């Protein structure tokens, strides 16, 4: 038995030792575990702290975002306001422009109508008055030191309207054999006009009629005093540039449909030959805007138009190729490079009327460029009139049929010889002036 | 209300220019179908409010609309500037080149008139069915398409009947009627005679009123125009087609040659006759008018005398020169030189005329050089624009004697 008890005691002891060992290890484990738990707790705390700090940061950022949002909204609102204001101002501007344009149109219309009625009234009055009054009227109007001529009554009526055209410049052609002897001058007191036919005192001219033949001082020569017309002026004017002659002028006038009331732009005043004709054709209620890029010529032209009393011309010193025109609806471009002016010309036309344009070019290459540009700008109905016009001066020679002598009489007395009327054409004629290119700009719908 | 003369209105006369080059002159009546033959027809009311000179297309059987693109070549994308290798060396004249039969084309034409087929479709069909089309040069393609356009297009242009367009119209129809006037001759007549607002003119015009029309365009009714004629009434067929307003026509007076120098025939009212007062007023007004016409002519002092007459020009000048003021201008036109030679001689020799000249003008039209590489004169050109003779009246005061034999005294040594 004691062996068993001893065994039991040993077993118990060993068991207790094992248990103690195990307890120790368990304690160790517990301690470890505690340490770990403590460590974890510390970590947890620090993490919690970290999280809190992160949350704080997040809140701050949210606040900032909110602030930015509000700022952005404010800016957007401001932008909107500005846009709205801009639109308002823009529409106001447009309204004002429209109103101004309408007013201008109204004013122009009314002015035109007024002028027309005034002229019609004037004309009717002039016809109704008896002859005596005419003469009195003439005398009081015309006794001026410049350009005084007595007239037949109906010429006075014409002069009432056209006196403004050709007020104080008297023309006289001395046509002996050929109109190249034609000269123009202004009648002034105490002056004398001298030429190969003699000396002619202005004082004696004053009081004569237009169309009168006048003898020179020494009675050896004579001249005719002719009423000034643009045709005579073209033949007599001082050339500052190559000018347009009447055949070109008259064709362009018709092709551009110029009439009283037409408004025309002339690019390239030159010596003013065409300008006089346009002024006469568009009188009384039309207008000519003429542009010249050479300053001296522009000034001379301005002076000339003033002296001649042409009050429906506006001369401007301007390079139209670079700077454009202003307004209105018929354009004539007599420039070295008209295609440069065409774009600007297009802007000058009214959009509810047909615009006519004519370009002058002596060379065919210029014509090609002009036509291409016209087509690009939308001009239609281009027609090219090769103005190789020959105005052939046809002279009449009477052919003596004298069967007695072989020699032709040097100066036959035409009434005494038998003859036939025959014509010949001058051997040298002005063959080519320019190619004329015509086009139309159609009105917009 | 001033009228915009570029817009068509009821009652206007219109010159219609058709794609084939032919022209037609019509007056715009209300509610009428205007027929252009094979080019179609349309309601007259469609024209009102449209612009002159703007091309119009007939569509949907009888309506009109404005055409923006008038260049068919653009529709077919043909640019003659493009260089190709094509030549016409291998292109032979073969009737079988066109695959469409006459019948097909006729059918399409009828459909086009109906409005169900667009005219451009016809042309496209013809072009695409032509075997040799793509072998042509670009120029030849352009020419081919232009020929088809002339036949099948339904685009026309309404033109205002001003002097320029009326001359073109009458040149096509009956050039002799307008004495073969050409636009440059007419314009020269107007400028030599210094025609402008306010001028007083005597006109002897047997062209049916074409000269008078051109003159009234330039005066707008300001001034006076006496139109001389034979017989009872003046023949003014051309002038009535010119859309002049009454204002303008009020300055225009007709006068018979046989009445020159005579007293006016007035309609007298017998005393005690049973006539309504309105009728008496009318007759009195008419009498006053006639008296005024005669007396204004007798007063004379006219600025210019413009002649294009069937009568002898010299006789006309001799009869009417008494009414001209000094420094007035006589301009006479004739298609035949010989008919105005005598007048030229008369004026040249007469002491009451100066600056006499006789001219002829030469005019040549050139092809418009757009897209093409160059320009050349048109093959058919106007043969002549007639002859214009002009003279200015002058006066010699009594007692004026020029002694040409006296020479300037030279200082003599003796």
């Amino acid at each position: 038995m004691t062996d068993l008890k001893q065994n039991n005691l040993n077993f118990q002891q060993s068991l207790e030792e094992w248990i103690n060992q195990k307890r120790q290890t368990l304690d160790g484990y517990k301690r470890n575990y505690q340490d770990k738990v403590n460590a974890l707790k510390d970590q947890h705390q620090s993490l919690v702290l970290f999280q809190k700090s992160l949350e704080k940061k997040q809140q701050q950022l949210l606040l900032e975002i909110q602030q930015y949002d509000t700022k952005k909204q404010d800016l957007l609102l401001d932008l909107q306001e500005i846009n709205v204001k801009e639109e308002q101002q823009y529409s106001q501007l447009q309204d004002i422009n429209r109103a101004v344009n309408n007013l201008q149109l109204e004013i122009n219309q009314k002015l035109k109508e007024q002028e027309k009625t005034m002229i019609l009234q004037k004309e009717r009055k002039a016809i109704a008055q008896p002859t005596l009054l005419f003469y009195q009227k003439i005398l009081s109007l015309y006794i001026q030191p410049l350009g005084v001529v007595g007239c037949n009554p109906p010429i006075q009526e014409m002069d009432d309207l056209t006196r403004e055209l050709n007020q104080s410049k008297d023309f006289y052609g001395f046509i002996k054999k050929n109109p190249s002897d034609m000269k123009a001058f202004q009648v002034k007191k105490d002056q004398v006009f001298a030429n190969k036919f003699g000396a002619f005192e202005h004082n004696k001219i004053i009081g004569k009629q237009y169309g009168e033949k006048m003898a020179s001082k020494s009675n050896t020569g004579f001249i005719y005093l002719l009423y000034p017309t643009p045709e005579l002026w073209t033949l007599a004017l001082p050339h500052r540039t190559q000018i347009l002659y009447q055949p070109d002028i008259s064709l362009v006038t018709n092709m551009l449909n110029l009439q009283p009331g037409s408004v025309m732009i002339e690019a390239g005043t030159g010596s003013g030959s065409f300008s006089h004709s346009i002024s006469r054709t568009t009188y009384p209620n039309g207008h000519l805007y003429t542009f010249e890029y050479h300053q001296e010529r522009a000034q001379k032209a301005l002076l000339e138009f003033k002296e001649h009393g042409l009050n429906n011309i506006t001369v401007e010193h301007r390079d139209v190729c670079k700077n454009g025109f202003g307004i209105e609806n018929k354009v004539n471009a007599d420039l070295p490079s008209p295609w440069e002016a065409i774009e600007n010309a297009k802007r000058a036309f009214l959009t509810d009327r047909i615009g006519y344009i004519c370009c002058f070019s002596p060379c065919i290459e210029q014509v090609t460029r002009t036509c291409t540009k016209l087509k690009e700008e939308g001009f239609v109905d281009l027609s090219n009139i090769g103005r190789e016009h020959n105005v052939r001066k046809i002279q009449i020679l009477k052919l003596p049929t004298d069967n007695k002598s072989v020699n032709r009489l040097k100066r036959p007395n035409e009434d005494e010889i038998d003859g036939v009327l025959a014509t010949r054409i001058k051997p040298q004629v002005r063959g080519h002036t320019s190619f004329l290119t015509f086009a139309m700009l159609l009105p917009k719908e | 209300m001033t009228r915009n003369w570029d817009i068509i209105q009821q009652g206007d006369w219109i010159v219609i220019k058709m794609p084939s080059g032919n022209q037609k002159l019509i007056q715009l009546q209300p509610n009428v179908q205007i027929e252009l033959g094979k080019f179609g027809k349309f309601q007259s009311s469609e024209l009102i409010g449209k612009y002159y000179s703007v091309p119009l297309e007939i569509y949907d059987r009888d309506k009109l609309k404005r055409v923006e693109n008038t260049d068919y070549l653009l529709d077919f994308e043909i640019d003659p500037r493009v260089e190709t290798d094509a030549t016409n060396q291998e292109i032979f004249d073969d009737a079988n080149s066109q695959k469409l039969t006459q019948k097909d084309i006729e059918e399409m034409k009828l459909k086009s008139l109906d409005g169900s087929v667009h005219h451009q479709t016809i042309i496209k069909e013809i072009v695409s069915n032509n075997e040799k089309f793509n072998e042509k040069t670009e120029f030849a393609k352009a020419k081919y398409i232009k020929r088809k356009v002339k036949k099948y297009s339904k685009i026309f242009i309404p033109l205002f009947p001003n002097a320029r367009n009326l001359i073109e119209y009458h040149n096509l129809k009956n050039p002799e009627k307008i004495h073969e006037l050409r636009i440059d001759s007419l314009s020269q007549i107007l400028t030599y005679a210094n025609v402008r607002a306010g001028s007083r003119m005597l006109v002897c015009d047997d062209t049916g009123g074409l000269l008078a029309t051109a003159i009234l365009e330039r005066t707008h009714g300001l001034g006076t125009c006496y139109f001389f004629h034979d017989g009872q009434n003046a023949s003014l067929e051309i002038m009535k087609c010119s859309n002049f307003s009454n204002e303008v026509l009020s300055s225009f007076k007709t006068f018979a040659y046989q009445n020159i120098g005579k007293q006016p025939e007035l309609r007298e009212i017998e005393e005690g006759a049973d006539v309504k007062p309105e009728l008496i007023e009318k007759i009195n007004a008419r009498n006053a008018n006639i008296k005024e016409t005669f007396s204004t002519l007798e007063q004379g002092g006219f600025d210019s005398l413009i002649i294009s007459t069937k009568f002898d020009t010299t006789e006309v000048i001799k009869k009417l020169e008494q009414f001209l003021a000094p420094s007035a201008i006589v301009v006479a036109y004739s298609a035949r030189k010989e008919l105005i030679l005598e007048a030229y001689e008369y004026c040249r020799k007469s002491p009451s005329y100066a600056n006499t000249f006789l001219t002829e003008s030469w005019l040549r039209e050139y092809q418009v050089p757009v897209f093409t590489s160059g320009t050349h004169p048109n093959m058919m050109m106007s043969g002549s624009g007639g002859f214009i003779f002009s003279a200015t009246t002058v006066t010699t005061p009594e007692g004026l004697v020029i002694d040409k034999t006296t020479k300037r005294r030279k200082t003599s040594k003796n």
Side-chain angles (χ1 to χ4, degrees):
Chain A
M1 250 341 233
T2 49
D3 275 331
L4 264 173
K5 270 194 187 168
Q6 194 80 73
N7 271 352
N8 248 4
L9 273 173
N10 285 348
F11 183 64
Q12 270 190 340
Q13 274 183 348
S14 61
L15 196 71
E16 279 179 17
E17 277 176 24
W18 186 85
I19 290 173
N20 282 338
Q21 269 181 0
K22 290 294 170 194
R23 275 198 186 141
Q24 276 178 357
T25 52
L26 258 182
D27 281 341
Y29 282 144
K30 267 193 189 170
R31 263 185 257 127
N32 275 349
Y33 175 70
Q34 281 284 338
D35 285 339
K36 281 190 184 172
V37 165
N38 286 340
L40 277 177
K41 274 192 185 171
D42 286 337
Q43 265 190 359
H44 179 75
Q45 272 192 346
S46 67
L47 278 178
V48 165
L49 283 174
F50 187 59
Q51 194 192 33
K52 280 191 184 170
S53 72
L54 280 181
E55 275 180 7
K56 272 193 194 168
K57 277 196 186 171
Q58 196 189 38
Q59 277 181 353
Q60 277 179 357
L61 285 175
L62 278 176
L63 271 176
E64 277 184 28
I65 289 175
Q66 273 184 358
Q67 282 175 356
Y68 280 129
D69 271 336
T70 48
K71 275 192 194 171
K72 192 172 152 186
Q73 278 181 358
D74 284 337
L75 285 175
L76 278 175
L77 280 172
D78 285 337
L79 247 182
Q80 275 184 0
E81 279 179 19
I82 292 175
N83 277 346
V84 165
K85 276 190 193 169
E86 247 191 67
E87 279 182 22
Q88 279 178 354
Q89 279 179 352
Y90 186 65
S91 60
Q92 273 178 4
L93 252 181
Q94 278 192 339
D95 285 335
I96 292 174
N97 272 344
R98 254 179 255 139
V100 164
N101 279 344
N102 286 342
L103 276 175
Q104 268 188 358
L105 281 172
E106 272 183 35
I107 290 174
N108 282 346
Q109 269 186 5
K110 283 194 184 166
L111 275 177
K112 283 182 193 170
E113 283 173 30
Q114 256 188 17
E115 271 191 46
K116 235 195 171 179
T117 47
M118 266 172 44
I119 287 168
L120 285 172
Q121 279 175 4
K122 254 196 200 173
E123 202 195 340
R124 283 186 204 125
K125 272 190 200 169
I127 295 175
Q129 276 175 4
T131 321
L132 275 175
L133 279 175
F134 272 157
Y135 273 111
Q136 286 180 5
K137 209 169 170 183
I138 297 167
L139 288 173
S140 62
L141 278 172
Y142 279 90
I143 296 181
Q144 298 163 33
L146 306 170
V148 177
V149 182
C151 304
N152 278 331
I155 294 186
Q156 185 273 332
E157 180 189 291
M158 171 182 75
D159 279 346
D160 232 349
L161 296 168
T162 61
R163 207 159 47 84
E164 292 150 60
L165 258 185
N166 296 293
Q167 201 167 32
S168 49
K169 196 137 188 169
D170 261 10
F171 293 68
Y172 48 87
F174 30 98
I175 303 137
K176 269 288 206 115
K177 298 278 179 186
N178 39 17
S180 58
D181 283 338
M182 195 126 33
K183 276 267 163 68
F185 71 96
Q186 199 167 28
V187 174
K188 285 198 177 142
K189 243 186 177 174
D190 298 331
Q191 281 192 8
V192 178
F193 176 78
N195 62 17
K196 65 184 178 187
F197 298 112
F200 300 88
E201 290 172 334
H202 286 219
N203 292 346
K204 297 222 169 128
I205 297 180
I206 295 175
K208 286 202 181 298
Q209 277 190 7
Y210 282 116
E212 226 177 270
K213 184 173 181 175
M214 178 174 168
S216 69
K217 197 168 174 188
S218 54
N219 230 19
T220 50
F222 67 90
I223 55 172
Y224 294 104
L225 304 166
L226 296 183
Y227 189 78
T229 68
E231 290 69 51
L232 294 179
W233 176 245
T234 299
L235 293 168
L237 69 88
H239 287 214
R240 301 189 275 276
T241 59
Q242 175 61 268
I243 64 168
L244 284 184
Y245 291 94
Q246 277 307 325
D248 282 321
I249 293 177
S250 42
L251 182 62
V252 175
T253 312
N254 259 53
M255 295 291 277
L256 291 184
N257 217 13
L258 283 184
Q259 298 173 9
S262 295
V263 179
M264 172 135 171
I265 294 175
E266 183 186 14
T269 317
S271 311
S273 159
F274 198 1
S275 317
H276 279 75
S277 297
I278 302 173
S279 169
R280 176 267 315 265
T281 310
T282 59
Y283 186 89
N285 47 348
H287 204 87
L288 168 67
Y289 296 89
T290 182
F291 299 89
E292 172 59 52
Y293 78 154
H294 189 268
Q295 189 164 36
E296 202 189 321
R297 285 202 290 265
Q299 281 169 353
K300 280 203 176 150
L302 188 58
L303 252 180
E304 226 171 57
F305 298 145
K306 234 184 176 173
E307 271 179 13
H308 293 187
L310 302 173
N311 59 3
N312 61 349
I313 304 187
T314 307
V315 184
E316 219 182 293
H317 169 227
R318 193 177 194 171
D319 184 346
V320 293
C321 297
K322 296 183 188 151
N323 305 323
F325 305 90
I327 21 160
E328 307 331 316
N329 69 355
K330 287 177 223 277
V331 179
N332 172 44
D334 182 6
L335 309 162
S337 35
W339 54 88
E340 289 175 14
I342 287 172
E343 239 185 274
N344 289 326
K346 189 178 172 186
R347 261 177 259 130
F349 287 109
L350 293 173
T351 49
D352 67 339
R353 301 299 303 266
I354 301 172
Y356 297 92
I357 185 168
C358 166
C359 300
F360 274 71
S361 303
C363 304
I364 199 74
E365 295 79 11
Q366 293 168 319
V367 167
T368 317
R369 288 181 75 171
T370 309
C371 284
T372 315
K373 186 71 187 182
L374 282 172
K375 189 99 187 193
E376 274 173 31
E377 292 292 331
F379 287 85
V380 298
D381 194 34
L382 303 171
S383 61
N384 228 334
I385 295 189
R387 202 56 217 180
E388 290 181 36
H389 75 261
N390 296 333
V391 178
R392 279 179 267 182
K393 189 73 175 277
I394 305 175
Q395 290 176 313
I396 306 274
L397 282 181
K398 239 189 176 162
L399 197 68
T401 56
D402 194 347
N403 55 8
K404 280 185 190 167
S405 77
V406 175
N407 297 325
R408 198 183 292 176
L409 296 170
K410 272 207 168 166
R411 285 191 194 196
N413 189 346
E414 293 189 35
D415 292 327
E416 290 178 357
I417 52 170
D418 270 336
V420 295
L421 282 182
T423 64
R424 84 180 158 87
I425 297 164
K426 270 165 106 172
Q428 277 280 318
V429 292
R430 194 176 298 122
H432 175 65
T433 51
S434 268
F435 293 105
L436 297 171
T437 307
F438 296 98
M440 280 197 302
L441 188 65
L442 297 178
K444 306 209 168 118
E445 201 66 29
Chain B
M1 246 299 276
T2 44
R3 175 191 159 167
N4 181 345
W5 285 97
D6 290 334
I7 293 184
I8 303 179
Q9 276 187 16
Q10 188 79 266
D12 272 0
W13 285 86
I14 307 175
V15 177
I16 294 191
K17 195 167 173 181
M18 293 181 274
S20 58
N22 284 338
Q23 295 188 8
K24 194 171 164 146
L25 183 60
I26 55 159
Q27 188 177 24
L28 197 57
Q29 308 285 6
N31 299 326
V32 159
Q33 276 235 335
I34 300 177
E35 307 210 10
L36 299 183
K38 62 180 178 181
F39 300 107
K41 48 190 167 182
F42 55 93
Q43 289 290 335
S44 58
S45 52
E46 292 280 324
L47 272 178
I48 298 177
K50 299 273 190 304
Y51 280 108
Y52 281 104
S53 303
V54 169
L56 297 170
E57 182 183 356
I58 306 177
Y59 77 103
D60 204 13
R61 200 157 191 196
D62 58 1
K63 298 203 184 55
L64 293 179
K65 69 173 175 181
R66 182 185 163 130
V67 179
E68 291 305 336
N69 171 28
T70 52
D71 197 344
Y72 259 67
L73 297 183
L74 291 177
D75 288 332
F76 286 84
E77 292 169 6
I78 292 184
D79 185 352
R81 286 176 295 193
V82 168
E83 290 187 10
T84 61
D85 285 337
T87 64
N88 63 2
Q89 199 176 20
E90 300 294 320
I91 299 181
F92 301 106
D93 197 4
D94 186 359
N96 294 327
S97 303
Q98 176 58 253
K99 291 301 167 197
L100 288 177
T101 61
Q102 187 68 11
K103 241 191 180 180
D104 295 331
I105 298 180
E106 290 295 324
E107 267 180 34
M108 281 200 283
K109 267 200 213 173
L110 286 175
K111 283 189 187 165
S112 161
L113 282 177
D114 246 350
S116 49
V117 169
H118 195 260
H119 53 101
Q120 228 186 51
T121 323
I122 302 183
I123 300 175
K124 280 193 172 153
E125 287 286 306
I126 295 179
V127 162
S128 56
N129 277 310
N130 186 330
E131 281 183 334
K132 302 275 174 63
F133 185 77
N134 287 320
E135 296 170 30
K136 298 188 194 229
T137 63
E138 297 297 295
F139 287 116
K141 284 183 188 170
K143 267 195 192 172
Y144 184 81
I145 290 176
K146 278 193 179 161
R147 283 210 307 272
K148 299 306 166 194
V149 164
K150 272 193 170 178
K151 275 180 95 173
Y152 300 110
S153 163
K154 292 172 82 178
I155 300 178
F156 69 92
I157 306 181
L159 293 172
F160 189 85
N162 54 23
R164 172 188 170 184
N165 294 328
L166 283 173
I167 284 185
E168 224 186 289
Y169 172 77
H170 281 96
N171 253 328
L172 288 173
K173 299 278 159 149
N174 188 3
E176 268 190 41
K177 181 175 170 72
I178 57 168
H179 295 183
E180 288 153 32
L181 267 172
R182 202 170 58 184
I183 183 67
D184 64 325
S185 314
L186 179 65
S187 55
Q188 282 180 47
I189 296 174
L190 296 176
T191 43
Y192 290 147
N194 200 16
V195 171
R196 66 208 186 285
S199 55
R200 307 171 76 247
M201 294 154 296
L202 306 169
V203 177
C204 304
D205 175 17
D206 287 309
T207 61
L210 180 66
L211 259 188
T213 310
I215 288 170
L216 285 180
E217 264 175 26
R218 293 281 203 102
T219 64
H220 266 208
L222 300 168
T224 333
C225 180
Y226 270 77
F227 186 94
F228 289 92
H229 61 92
D230 55 326
Q232 292 286 345
N233 294 310
S235 69
L236 294 168
E237 304 102 44
I238 298 186
M239 209 170 96
K240 74 164 193 266
C241 303
S242 50
N243 297 342
F244 282 134
S245 64
N246 286 331
E247 232 176 44
V248 168
L249 291 175
S250 62
S251 69
F252 184 78
K253 305 198 171 133
T254 57
F255 202 90
Y257 283 114
Q258 59 268 23
N259 287 342
I260 297 175
K262 294 191 190 157
Q263 290 301 312
E265 282 177 23
L266 301 173
R267 188 169 161 191
E268 302 287 347
I269 310 168
E270 294 164 359
E271 292 195 12
D274 183 20
V275 190
K276 293 183 201 169
E278 304 146 344
L279 198 57
I280 297 179
E281 262 187 56
K282 270 193 188 174
I283 294 176
N284 283 340
R286 189 169 161 274
N287 284 346
N289 217 359
I290 295 178
K291 270 193 202 164
E292 197 192 316
T293 311
F294 274 74
S295 67
T296 316
L297 183 63
E298 287 300 316
Q299 266 184 0
F302 284 81
D303 301 332
S304 47
L305 168 59
I306 305 173
I307 304 173
S308 170
T309 179
K310 59 189 179 189
F311 296 110
D312 178 15
T313 311
T314 324
E315 218 189 311
V316 170
I317 294 180
K318 283 183 185 166
K319 193 139 198 193
L320 293 176
E321 61 185 356
Q322 54 182 299
F323 303 121
L324 291 176
S327 197
I329 306 170
V330 175
V331 176
Y333 165 88
S334 170
R336 295 159 208 263
K337 196 168 43 179
E338 289 80 2
L339 298 178
I340 48 176
L341 280 187
E342 248 193 67
Y344 177 91
E345 255 316 82
Y346 166 70
C347 289
R348 192 174 72 96
K349 287 188 172 172
S350 162
S352 28
Y353 290 96
N355 197 18
T356 319
F357 57 85
L358 177 61
T359 62
E360 183 193 357
S361 161
W362 203 70
L363 180 68
R364 188 182 229 184
E365 280 200 38
Y366 281 62
Q367 175 180 284
V368 177
V370 178
F371 289 155
T372 56
S373 56
T375 181
H376 59 77
N378 284 345
M379 202 177 86
M380 292 304 286
M381 68 175 262
S382 161
S384 166
F387 301 84
I388 300 174
F389 141 72
S390 163
T392 313
T393 56
V394 290
T395 55
T396 312
E398 283 182 28
L400 186 74
V401 173
I402 313 282
D403 188 9
K404 291 184 206 173
T405 55
T406 327
K407 293 186 181 172
R408 281 190 226 135
R409 284 182 229 119
K410 293 181 183 174
T411 52
S412 54
K413 286 178 185 171
N414 294 345

